[in-house]
Amino acid sequence: MHAPLSRSLLDWRILDELLANLVRERIPDADHLPLAVQVAEVKHRFGTASAAIRPDRVEAAARQALSDLGKLRASHRFVLAHSLAQPIAGLEGRSVLDHERVARQLLNDWESAARNQVLKLSHWRGLFRSYMQAPDGDWQKRLRLLLSKTIEPVVKRRRGRPAWLDTLTRHEHLLGDEPCLPYVDEMMAGEHELLADLRDHVDIPPTSWFWQQLKSRLFQQIASIGEAAFRASIDAFLELDHLIPLMGDELPKAILERYDAGRDRSIQPSLMDFSLKAWGSPQLARNTKWDLCRPSVRQMVNSWLAKDDLEDFYRLCNTERMVDERRLAFWLRFKDQMTFTQILLGGRLRSSRDPDVRAFIAKKGERLGDLTASTSTNNAILMQIGGWLFIEFSEVGTAARAIRLSDGVIKTGMASYPLTTLRHTGEQWTHQPSAAWEEKFLDRLRDVGVFPDDSKTKRSPRAPSLPQNEITASPSVRRVQPPPTLISKLRNMDVEVVDNRLKGGALWVYTSRNTTAEELAEIRNLGFRWKESKRGFYLP
């Protein structure tokens, strides 16, 4: 029993020999009959031309053309038709099209043959291959014009119709003004049958202008598509990575930036999984491909991971009857600002054989860490917001920790952390009193410049109308009322304004993560002074 002819065997040596034998009508013996049948199928699909042309033949034909066009043989012209745009190692990587005089004369000759109706189909097919290889420019346009004008008369003169020509008929728009449009339209509709047919039956080099133009048109459409249509097509777009060669980082960049520009930036599981496989976690500095996107994209996916980690941490630890839901709800209010999160597992969960736990560990991969020097039932989650690292533990009654990263005691992204180090670093934040610990945490977070995600610039209630430069209502503290323009300026900044003047206090300004350097300079120019203990500016 003969094994099917493998694709790797379809090289120029075997095809040249077998096709030559078929042309000479040499009948194979019975042992080679299955192979001959497959050769016949190859002949029907590809015609009688070689599947590939030896590099030495390409170089020999090119050198002859460059030295004396008048002495080109028919075999030379056949080879050149297939390799006009092919870089030639012996010519310092340049192609025949890089030599303008020779390229112009060769195309003149083929155009003349077409006008006289003597252009061979084998040459036409070679010129089509060169057209798909040629750089986008004048030579490519000239080849397209020649091919589009001559396909019908060339086909009519040939007996029979090879399968490759039938395929090209299905893709005749390749010779039109918008060669990529039908494929882009199909992909935008969530389909890719036409593109798959093209890939399977038309030999287009991965570096062809066609693929570059197709990607460019596709990404333009993705950037401008409506919100609903885009979200409905995301999964189909992600599959294009397998259909378009050399897609590289362009596909995740285009889809992520379009998603980031939408109104709804909530977690999209398939896009998150795709981007993590392509570029790794955006929370790890070593994964630099995230720098290809604008910063808001990286932070968007950071927030997805933060939400995913927080919910997974709660779900896992809740099965152990640990960690209350209020902590989850509290920290989810800050997920959009978290640039790093990491779950640390205690020994019990790390060694668990529970299928759900094993699936969780496999899903998190290198992003998981271990909590050591602790009880086996204790676990932790690290959350970085700005320059602060906050730590929650799963065991009820264990205080949270707030650590300033600039102190250099703790580094993020480690494989393991001992509980003794975490518990003796930074500030201890207890969840007491039980009924109001959230408000206490909010106050302390505000003191370090951290506000909930949904916090806008908070405007204090408008004070009663007072004449400009009048004293405040408090007789014990004489304080000059700032002009209304000052309040207006502050309210146009990304800051929190707390006005305690009617109670005899000060006018306070608390900056946020979005406050710009220009705004900070303006706050100081307005006369505000910094108070470290309150982590805010006040007007003396």
Side-chain angles (χ1 to χ4, degrees):
M1 185 71 179
H2 293 277
L5 185 62
S6 69
R7 190 181 182 112
S8 62
L9 292 178
L10 294 179
D11 60 16
W12 64 267
R13 298 178 186 84
I14 292 176
L15 277 178
D16 275 352
E17 179 182 347
L18 295 175
L19 291 176
N21 287 340
L22 286 172
V23 169
R24 299 187 188 98
E25 296 186 351
R26 293 182 181 175
I27 307 300
D29 57 38
D31 288 339
H32 295 91
L33 188 58
L35 181 61
V37 170
Q38 293 189 56
V39 170
E41 292 176 355
V42 171
K43 178 184 176 184
H44 173 67
R45 177 173 169 180
F46 296 102
T48 56
S50 300
I53 299 175
R54 298 195 309 266
D56 61 315
R57 292 181 63 192
V58 172
E59 183 175 342
R63 289 191 179 280
Q64 181 59 54
L66 293 175
S67 63
D68 191 346
L69 277 168
K71 293 184 178 180
L72 281 180
R73 298 193 298 270
S75 60
H76 289 147
R77 292 185 182 275
F78 168 83
V79 170
L80 290 170
H82 284 76
S83 57
L84 274 178
Q86 180 177 325
I88 301 170
L91 298 180
E92 299 180 345
R94 302 177 71 194
S95 71
V96 174
L97 288 181
D98 291 325
H99 298 80
E100 186 173 353
R101 177 188 63 83
V102 175
R104 184 186 306 109
Q105 184 57 55
L106 286 170
L107 282 171
N108 287 342
D109 292 345
W110 280 308
E111 288 166 347
S112 175
R115 286 193 297 272
N116 295 323
Q117 298 189 359
V118 292
L119 180 62
K120 297 178 180 179
L121 183 59
S122 60
H123 285 212
W124 190 98
R125 186 185 178 199
L127 291 171
F128 176 78
R129 177 174 174 78
S130 292
Y131 162 65
M132 299 307 295
Q133 284 184 311
D136 194 4
D138 291 340
W139 292 125
Q140 183 238 38
K141 291 180 176 64
R142 188 169 173 181
L143 283 165
R144 182 180 68 197
L145 184 62
L146 169 61
L147 293 166
S148 63
K149 285 183 175 180
T150 55
I151 184 170
E152 288 301 329
V154 167
V155 170
K156 286 180 180 177
R157 296 199 314 271
R158 176 183 171 85
R159 294 180 183 177
R161 192 177 179 93
W164 69 264
L165 198 53
D166 287 333
T167 300
L168 190 56
T169 302
R170 296 195 299 273
H171 299 274
E172 59 185 353
H173 41 264
L174 289 172
L175 300 177
D177 293 332
E178 289 288 348
C180 300
L181 186 59
Y183 308 103
V184 173
D185 287 346
E186 178 191 51
M187 288 186 286
M188 295 306 294
E191 303 290 339
H192 38 70
E193 182 178 348
L194 188 64
L195 182 62
D197 179 61
L198 178 72
R199 280 209 56 168
D200 290 345
H201 297 96
V202 180
D203 183 18
I204 302 179
T207 56
S208 169
W209 59 266
F210 170 79
W211 298 116
Q212 298 305 315
Q213 190 177 122
L214 181 70
K215 287 187 283 189
S216 176
R217 298 286 191 273
L218 174 64
F219 297 150
Q220 288 172 7
Q221 289 294 315
I222 289 177
S224 61
I225 190 176
E227 184 83 4
F230 169 72
R231 295 181 74 88
S233 302
I234 286 177
D235 288 342
F237 291 152
L238 297 179
E239 294 179 13
L240 298 177
D241 191 43
H242 305 294
L243 284 172
I244 301 178
L246 304 180
M247 182 65 88
D249 301 318
E250 296 172 276
L251 184 63
K253 180 180 187 298
I255 299 177
L256 283 165
E257 291 197 336
R258 174 62 187 85
Y259 195 90
D260 177 58
R263 293 184 300 275
D264 181 2
R265 299 168 73 248
S266 60
I267 186 169
Q268 213 288 341
S270 58
L271 180 55
M272 182 174 75
D273 291 345
F274 178 83
S275 58
L276 292 178
K277 288 176 182 176
W279 292 349
S281 170
Q283 296 182 344
L284 302 177
R286 65 176 177 268
N287 294 329
T288 56
K289 288 189 175 182
W290 287 96
D291 296 335
L292 297 171
C293 292
R294 54 180 176 262
S296 59
V297 170
R298 188 172 198 150
Q299 186 51 45
M300 175 183 70
V301 182
N302 280 341
S303 72
W304 292 354
L305 292 173
K307 181 176 186 293
D308 200 49
D309 284 348
L310 282 163
E311 291 178 345
D312 282 344
F313 181 70
Y314 166 74
R315 176 180 58 82
L316 277 177
C317 297
N318 196 42
T319 60
E320 303 284 323
R321 295 183 178 179
M322 302 174 182
V323 75
D324 60 274
E325 191 170 355
R326 286 168 58 190
R327 298 194 204 180
L328 169 68
F330 179 82
W331 289 110
L332 280 175
R333 297 173 63 186
F334 301 87
K335 63 179 174 55
D336 290 345
Q337 301 168 67
M338 293 181 183
T339 55
F340 177 82
T341 52
Q342 184 180 18
I343 295 174
L344 307 180
L345 295 182
R348 182 168 176 173
L349 282 177
R350 175 61 81 176
S351 60
S352 173
R353 300 195 178 192
D354 181 276
D356 290 339
V357 175
R358 302 318 302 171
F360 161 81
I361 292 174
K363 170 188 170 184
K364 297 296 182 183
E366 64 176 356
R367 296 184 56 245
L368 275 180
D370 291 306
L371 181 63
T372 61
S374 176
T375 61
S376 65
T377 57
N378 199 12
N379 309 280
I381 183 167
L382 312 182
M383 301 164 285
Q384 180 182 349
I385 305 175
W388 288 80
L389 184 68
F390 302 98
I391 308 172
E392 283 278 13
F393 297 92
S394 64
E395 288 187 342
V396 175
T398 306
R401 306 298 300 188
I403 301 170
R404 194 194 301 266
L405 286 170
S406 60
D407 293 343
V409 180
I410 298 290
K411 293 183 179 180
T412 58
M414 304 289 287
S416 64
Y417 295 83
L419 178 64
T420 48
T421 300
L422 299 181
R423 273 191 171 169
H424 294 88
T425 306
E427 303 172 8
Q428 175 176 285
W429 291 10
T430 63
H431 302 86
Q432 298 294 332
S434 178
W437 66 262
E438 290 96 336
E439 288 303 317
K440 183 179 71 174
F441 274 34
L442 284 173
D443 288 342
R444 300 188 76 171
L445 286 166
R446 188 185 70 178
D447 287 344
V448 298
V450 176
F451 303 90
D453 297 333
D454 58 0
S455 245
K456 304 299 181 184
T457 302
K458 293 182 176 62
R459 302 186 179 187
S460 54
R462 186 177 297 277
S465 178
L466 292 173
Q468 186 171 335
N469 294 331
E470 278 295 318
I471 61 171
T472 64
S474 172
S476 61
V477 181
R478 299 185 60 84
R479 194 178 301 276
V480 176
Q481 172 77 4
T485 53
L486 173 60
I487 301 297
S488 300
K489 286 181 178 179
L490 292 172
R491 287 174 176 165
N492 288 328
M493 299 180 187
D494 203 338
V495 297
E496 179 186 5
V497 178
V498 178
D499 191 352
N500 293 327
R501 289 170 294 155
L502 290 179
K503 299 183 292 184
L507 178 65
W508 288 88
V509 174
Y510 297 96
T511 58
S512 73
R513 64 190 178 96
N514 296 320
T515 306
T516 65
E518 291 79 7
E519 289 172 339
L520 288 171
E522 179 65 12
I523 290 169
R524 288 188 171 90
N525 290 337
L526 291 172
F528 285 83
R529 295 181 183 177
W530 174 256
K531 190 172 182 65
E532 178 65 28
S533 62
K534 299 289 287 185
R535 303 294 298 174
F537 291 90
Y538 71 99
L539 189 65

